[in-house]
Structures are given as C-alpha cells and as structure tokens.
Amino acid sequence: MASRPSLPPQFVTPAPYCPVLPLSAPLSRFLVTPLRRLLPALCEELTLHDDLDRFDRLDRLDGLDRLNAADPDEAEAALLACCGSRRWARRVAAHRPYPGPDALLAAADAAGRALGRADLSEAFAAEAAAAFTPSQARAAGALRAAHAAYERRFGHVFVICLDGCRPEEALGRLLSALAARLAGTLHEEHATAAGELRRIARGRLTRLAEGTLAPGRGGPARDLRERQGSRQ
C-alpha cells in the first residue's frame, strides 16, 4: 500500500510548547504539601454546601413535593411517622414520585395489605396508648384496665382510627370499641386491627401531603392531641 505523501512544511502545525519544570524539594514542600492538606477540607466544605443547598430547596417545598424530592432515608423516616412498619415505609418510598395524594394513598393501602404478621407487629409496637387530659381522669382507670386486658388477649396495643371523631367524643369511642373488640376472636381482631392501622396511616399521610403532620409517633394519643390543638 502506498504511503501517504507528507505535507509541505508550511502546512504543518507545530505542537504547542508546554514546558514541564521539575519541582525542587523545597518548592514541593511549600506548594504540594499544603495543597494536599487543603483538599480534604475543601471537598468537605463543598459537600456541606451542597447538602445545605439541597435542604434549603426541600424547605421551600410543601407536603407531597417534599416527600417526592427527599432522599430514600429521609422519605422512609417521614413515612415511619405514619406507620411503624419499615417494610411499609420502604415500599411506599420506593414508588415515588407520586403525582397526587390519591396515588400516595393508593400505594399506602396496597403496601398495608401486603404486610405479614411480623410487619404488623412492628407497626403495632410503634403505636402509643391513649393519653388523658385532667378532665378525663375519672375514665382513665377503666380505659387503662381495658387496654391491659386487650394486650393480654391479643398480644399488641389497641389501635383505632379517630379521624372525624370530635375530641370530646374520643374517650367514649375508645371505651366502646375496646369492649366490642375484646369479645371478638383472634382472627377477627387481627383483620380489624390491620384495617384500623391502614386507616390511621391514610390520615397521617393526608396530613403529611398537606404539610401539617406533627413530628413524632404515636397512636390515638398523638392524633387526639393534634385535633385538640387544632380546635384551640
């Protein structure tokens, strides 16, 4: 094969001249060593700046948009405040982003129906027993005794969704529901409690999407305190 003819000298572009100067040992100590020490701190500062910038962007979002934009760990932590099952929280977080609250609630219901006994036990354990105001002190003993009887019979705390119930009616509803459910079978109560847990999660998720969910966990106690506070 014939070789390619070489270009005339006037058409040859010379390579740019980039001299490489060796660093002496003293110059290396003054330039390279401090730079090596500075780089980790500089990288850490840039990472912190990026994190703060991301958190600032999240703070400007509300409700569902904030949940959609959160890191997986942050989203799971927020969802665990709605239902104490880690499997439930991971599954709901994994299906983000949600176009609207209805899609979020549908995913939560599907995740709740897929929970096994161990997952439900974990979620029940995250719920708190009902608290009492001074005006409810007379009924507190009866309610505590009913809660204790329920836990001995079914092995987990009593859960009930009080959404839509006025605060002054909540205590009576708790007592009547406890009495009725104590008379049921283990199988019946398992299904009832799982359904109540899904309803509780739906209410909290709705408030999470609206940006009004109070921090922390709890069962009827926290939900009742939130409603009482909103009426004051």
Side-chain angles (χ1 to χ4, degrees):
M1 184 174 62
S3 61
R4 297 176 58 186
S6 59
L7 293 175
Q10 62 268 29
F11 292 103
V12 177
T13 302
Y17 177 62
C18 298
V20 179
L21 299 178
L23 290 177
S24 63
L27 189 59
S28 175
R29 284 196 300 271
F30 280 106
L31 292 180
V32 178
T33 303
L35 184 59
R36 286 175 178 170
R37 294 173 180 170
L38 179 62
L39 280 176
L42 180 61
C43 292
E44 182 178 352
E45 182 176 351
L46 289 174
T47 301
L48 178 61
H49 182 272
D50 291 342
D51 288 343
L52 291 175
D53 183 60
R54 183 174 61 81
F55 290 143
D56 183 60
R57 290 196 302 272
L58 284 176
D59 285 340
R60 292 195 293 269
L61 299 176
D62 289 326
L64 185 58
D65 290 335
R66 184 180 176 88
L67 177 66
N68 284 335
D71 284 346
D73 289 344
E74 294 169 344
E76 289 179 21
L79 291 167
L80 279 172
C82 301
C83 177
S85 164
R86 286 171 291 183
R87 182 183 177 190
W88 180 90
R90 284 194 298 267
R91 182 166 179 176
V92 176
H95 285 81
R96 295 173 303 148
Y98 292 102
D102 289 344
L104 173 64
L105 295 179
D109 281 344
R113 294 182 187 280
L115 295 181
R117 288 293 182 95
D119 303 311
L120 287 171
S121 295
E122 182 183 33
F124 292 146
E127 299 296 316
F132 309 101
T133 64
S135 62
Q136 298 168 339
R138 293 177 60 185
L143 191 55
R144 287 195 184 97
H147 270 291
Y150 179 94
E151 291 185 34
R152 284 194 302 269
R153 177 165 170 73
F154 299 113
H156 58 78
V157 299
F158 175 78
V159 293
I160 183 172
C161 180
L162 294 175
D163 289 346
C165 179
R166 292 185 296 182
E168 61 271 19
E169 298 173 350
L171 188 60
R173 182 173 173 182
L174 282 170
L175 282 168
S176 61
L178 268 165
R181 288 165 60 178
L182 272 168
T185 65
L186 289 172
H187 178 75
E188 290 171 343
E189 180 54 26
H190 176 78
T192 300
E196 291 294 318
L197 193 67
R198 290 194 297 271
R199 291 181 60 200
I200 291 170
R202 282 180 64 91
R204 293 175 186 165
L205 279 173
T206 299
R207 294 192 289 279
L208 178 66
E210 294 170 349
T212 59
L213 180 67
R217 291 200 194 163
R222 188 191 70 177
D223 294 339
L224 179 56
R225 286 195 297 269
E226 288 176 4
R227 283 193 299 279
Q228 286 173 332
S230 67
R231 292 172 62 89
Q232 291 175 354

